[in-house]
Amino acid sequence: MKLLKKIFAGSFLIIGLAILLLGTMELIDSNKSKEDKEGALAAIVVFGIPSTTIGTWIIWSLHQQHQQKLKQFQLEREQLFLRLLQQEEGRVTITKFALFAQISIEEAKQYLDEKAKQLNANFETSDQEGIIYKFPE
């Protein structure tokens, strides 16, 4: 469905912008007759503006959906992080968080580094577990 929306949005925008461009060129051409200019203006108003508006609206709605999903994803990750913190009594490793949140090691490290700065966490290193983030309770 999302791919179909993207195709429709692109089609509407391409058609609408082409009509707007061609119509504008007709309007500013001093060699065109009054009837040609009126036809160009009608094409802009009837086809160009609505088509461009519909394409833009579809793109905007897709963007809004993406932003909403991103916020939901961030909220879920935050909840997973807090749940793991509670279970592990404030001591979290990159591997545990990556497994718990089902994300890559790189994403887990980046997220924990950001949270460590934000929450003033301390670090410990262990031969067995690697870096242990110690968050205040």
Side-chain angles (χ1 to χ4, degrees):
M1 186 67 172
K2 195 174 184 179
L3 177 63
L4 193 58
K5 282 185 176 181
K6 288 180 181 180
I7 291 169
F8 276 130
S11 299
F12 277 112
L13 278 174
I14 289 170
I15 291 167
L17 290 172
I19 292 170
L20 288 174
L21 179 63
L22 293 172
T24 303
M25 288 172 55
E26 287 275 320
L27 287 175
I28 61 173
D29 188 351
S30 60
N31 296 329
K32 296 295 178 179
S33 68
K34 183 178 178 185
E35 291 82 22
D36 287 343
K37 288 184 178 191
E38 287 173 355
L41 183 60
I44 288 172
V45 172
V46 173
F47 299 111
I49 293 173
S51 181
T52 306
T53 302
I54 291 169
T56 303
W57 180 79
I58 294 170
I59 289 173
W60 180 80
S61 70
L62 286 169
H63 176 71
Q64 290 298 102
Q65 288 173 359
H66 176 74
Q67 291 298 319
Q68 198 171 27
K69 284 182 183 180
L70 186 60
K71 285 180 185 176
Q72 182 64 32
F73 174 74
Q74 290 169 341
L75 179 62
E76 288 171 6
R77 185 176 282 180
E78 183 82 12
Q79 290 170 345
L80 286 171
F81 170 71
L82 293 173
R83 200 172 310 131
L84 184 62
L85 269 185
Q86 187 177 31
Q87 286 177 7
E88 300 295 322
E89 298 177 351
R91 296 171 51 93
V92 179
T93 65
I94 296 169
T95 308
K96 281 183 186 176
F97 183 64
L99 286 170
F100 197 73
Q102 297 180 344
I103 58 176
S104 72
I105 295 291
E106 294 82 22
E107 287 177 293
K109 182 176 181 346
Q110 183 180 14
Y111 185 84
L112 289 173
D113 286 345
E114 289 172 13
K115 283 296 175 187
K117 288 177 189 173
Q118 185 181 20
L119 300 174
N120 272 343
N122 293 316
F123 301 94
E124 227 178 67
T125 55
S126 164
D127 290 337
Q128 296 172 335
E129 297 178 297
I131 299 172
I132 302 168
Y133 293 78
K134 294 176 66 178
F135 291 91
E137 294 184 48

